[in-house]
Amino acid sequence: MSTKNVPPSGGRGIKNPIYIASTASISPLGEDHKEIWEAYKSNHHFIQKYDFEGEEAFAAFLPEKLSAEIEKLRTESTHYRKLDLSVLFAIYTSRQAIKRAGWESEKSIGINIGSSRGATGLFEKFHAEFIKNRVASTQASPATTLGNISSWVGQDLENDGIHFSHSVTCSTGLHSILNAVAWLQSGLAEKFIAGGSEAALTPFTIAQMKALKTYAIEDLAYPCQALNLDKSRNSMVLGEGAGLLCLETSFSSKALAKITGIGYSAEKLKHSVSISEDGKCIQNAMKMAMGELDPTEVDAVVMHAPGTIKGDLGEVNAIKAVFGENLPAMTSNKWKIGHTFATSGILNLELAMLMLKHQEFVSVPFSDISKKPMRLRHILVNAVGFGGNAVSILISKP
């Protein structure tokens, strides 16, 4: 396989493979790889109805055991008691990622952890206090700055490498991977932690999604109907969690997978949350990620597929446009764990890596959109965000 990329619009792809030394996540699936894989093999979903201060809505929360661990982490330091859940999620997950990679003694690791909504819980709390008292809390500004996430992870790991955060809505996590690849290939870093963290299951966030008319309201066996192309209603559901990858340029026999292609693109908007009917930005991102690889070599695509009518269909049309009659197998995990915004792309990558490891395709139980592949060697992972931007990552067996 060639790893040289010839992107469609002058962008730059991967010069040399980037290896995934470890991955760690916390999500409605849990945190242990074995536990997560068993959850994926089941047709059970983790979405429930919840009362958001008088407004019922579907959501997918962390397991109670994990939530208790996060609260335990909060008590470790007086500093941590003031942090948003999105920051605590990232700190907890980074400890697992570092341990699994064997990087505990490393002190110069690049860190880029993004978030779509940021310190949502604290924003709502501080703003409510301001409306009531007309006085802002001392911690209102420092505790809600987006850079909190990577900075506090760096503090917790006692790391002196570059720390930065960003927000590119739903493709934020995969944009972190793009940034890490750029730093690693430039020689400015040898090791990088990249990913996303999202703790946005709050009344205001739910209200925002409902205002867009994208949120699930039907009490079905599977509330989120991602990849059901016959649905008549939008069915997006939110989830929470964090996901991180430890990336390096050096090959290791312990590597989980290698990143052999990256792609990114944007398209002209018709409105703030639009995507074209044929998913132009997704087409370009996938083509760029594949580079010179024959499209027939791609065995599967882990899709963004948020459960909206236009979002799901646009991405399917993009895949059909790129692959023609030789369609790869297509799947999504949002029917099971909801849409975790920035974290969603990383959880997609995690699913792809688990499928590569176990050589087993995980399908959507109510969708007949594709057949199971005969093999799993190369998998594309997609994410699409508000603003008409898309990211695709191609991963392969190490």
Side-chain angles (χ1 to χ4, degrees):
M1 170 189 165
S2 168
T3 58
K4 181 182 178 183
N5 276 285
V6 185
S9 56
R12 298 195 179 192
I14 280 195
K15 299 174 184 176
N16 300 296
I18 301 296
Y19 295 96
I20 301 173
S22 76
T23 179
S25 70
I26 57 172
S27 76
L29 300 167
E31 63 173 321
D32 177 73
H33 282 165
K34 183 178 179 181
E35 174 187 25
I36 292 169
W37 180 242
E38 289 302 316
Y40 270 127
K41 290 173 66 178
S42 163
N43 285 340
H44 172 71
H45 69 79
F46 296 87
I47 294 168
Q48 59 179 289
K49 262 192 175 178
Y50 184 79
D51 186 342
F52 290 91
E53 296 183 4
E55 185 73 23
E56 273 199 341
F58 292 108
F61 292 85
L62 295 183
E64 289 184 7
K65 180 182 176 182
L66 257 178
S67 294
E69 289 295 320
I70 298 300
E71 289 308 311
K72 182 179 177 182
L73 169 62
R74 188 189 292 279
T75 65
E76 285 186 16
S77 164
T78 54
H79 296 300
Y80 292 179
R81 292 171 190 165
K82 303 171 185 176
L83 299 179
D84 187 73
L85 277 175
S86 59
V87 183
L88 295 175
F89 284 2
I91 291 174
Y92 183 89
T93 308
S94 69
R95 292 179 180 181
Q96 314 306 315
I98 288 290
K99 183 178 180 180
R100 291 173 185 174
W103 290 3
E104 293 97 330
S105 61
E106 299 284 346
K107 296 301 177 186
S108 186
I109 303 169
I111 300 173
N112 178 199
I113 306 169
S115 181
S116 172
R117 319 308 293 181
T120 313
L122 286 186
F123 259 120
E124 292 183 29
K125 173 180 177 291
F126 289 139
H127 186 258
E129 290 174 355
F130 176 73
I131 294 299
K132 181 180 179 180
N133 304 318
R134 307 307 295 175
V135 176
S137 166
T138 304
Q139 287 296 316
S141 177
T144 58
T145 301
L146 182 58
N148 257 324
I149 298 180
S150 293
S151 295
W152 276 110
V153 167
Q155 289 288 323
D156 186 73
L157 299 178
E158 299 181 354
N159 180 272
D160 60 6
I162 181 73
H163 308 154
F164 61 103
S165 301
H166 68 281
S167 176
V168 199
T169 66
C170 306
S171 55
T172 297
L174 291 196
H175 271 98
S176 296
I177 305 299
L178 300 185
N179 290 334
V181 168
W183 278 79
L184 291 167
Q185 292 194 142
S186 71
L188 291 173
E190 294 182 356
K191 291 179 170 61
F192 228 94
I193 300 172
S197 183
E198 212 72 63
L201 296 182
T202 65
F204 185 51
T205 307
I206 297 294
Q208 290 176 66
M209 297 303 106
K210 285 190 172 184
L212 291 171
K213 309 299 183 185
T214 60
Y215 217 74
I217 58 173
E218 292 185 287
D219 200 352
L220 304 173
Y222 296 101
C224 178
Q225 290 283 303
L227 291 189
N228 172 9
L229 300 187
D230 296 322
K231 59 180 173 286
S232 58
R233 286 180 176 273
N234 289 322
S235 64
M236 190 176 78
V237 173
L238 294 188
E240 64 180 357
L244 302 176
L245 273 65
C246 288
L247 305 172
E248 60 185 344
T249 54
S250 303
F251 171 75
S252 166
S253 59
K254 295 181 180 180
L256 302 177
K258 62 180 177 181
I259 297 175
T260 44
I262 57 172
Y264 47 89
S265 183
E267 62 181 48
K268 189 174 181 179
L269 294 175
K270 290 185 178 179
H271 59 80
S272 60
V273 296
S274 68
I275 181 173
S276 56
E277 290 184 3
D278 57 354
K280 222 31 133 184
C281 58
I282 307 173
Q283 287 187 46
N284 291 337
M286 290 191 295
K287 289 176 183 177
M288 182 178 175
M290 288 190 293
E292 293 181 344
L293 180 68
D294 190 320
T296 61
E297 294 293 304
V298 175
D299 305 305
V301 181
V302 180
M303 299 168 61
H304 183 69
T308 61
I309 295 172
K310 290 184 178 180
D312 291 6
L313 184 58
E315 189 171 3
V316 169
N317 287 339
I319 292 170
K320 289 180 177 178
V322 171
F323 292 94
E325 295 181 357
N326 298 305
L327 290 177
M330 292 176 271
T331 192
S332 168
N333 57 17
K334 291 184 178 65
W335 66 271
K336 182 181 281 285
I337 58 174
H339 190 348
T340 53
F341 286 143
T343 307
S344 64
I346 304 300
L347 297 181
N348 287 352
L349 267 171
E350 181 179 66
L351 172 57
M353 285 184 280
L354 288 169
M355 291 195 299
L356 282 178
K357 176 183 177 180
H358 295 281
Q359 284 299 291
E360 186 175 344
F361 180 72
V362 174
S363 58
V364 179
F366 51 81
S367 175
D368 58 0
I369 195 170
S370 64
K371 296 179 180 179
K372 292 188 177 183
M374 299 294 292
R375 65 190 182 193
L376 287 168
R377 296 181 301 171
H378 308 293
I379 301 178
L380 270 174
V381 177
N382 291 341
V384 189
F386 292 162
N389 71 79
V391 177
S392 291
I393 306 287
L394 178 69
I395 67 166
S396 309
K397 293 187 70 175

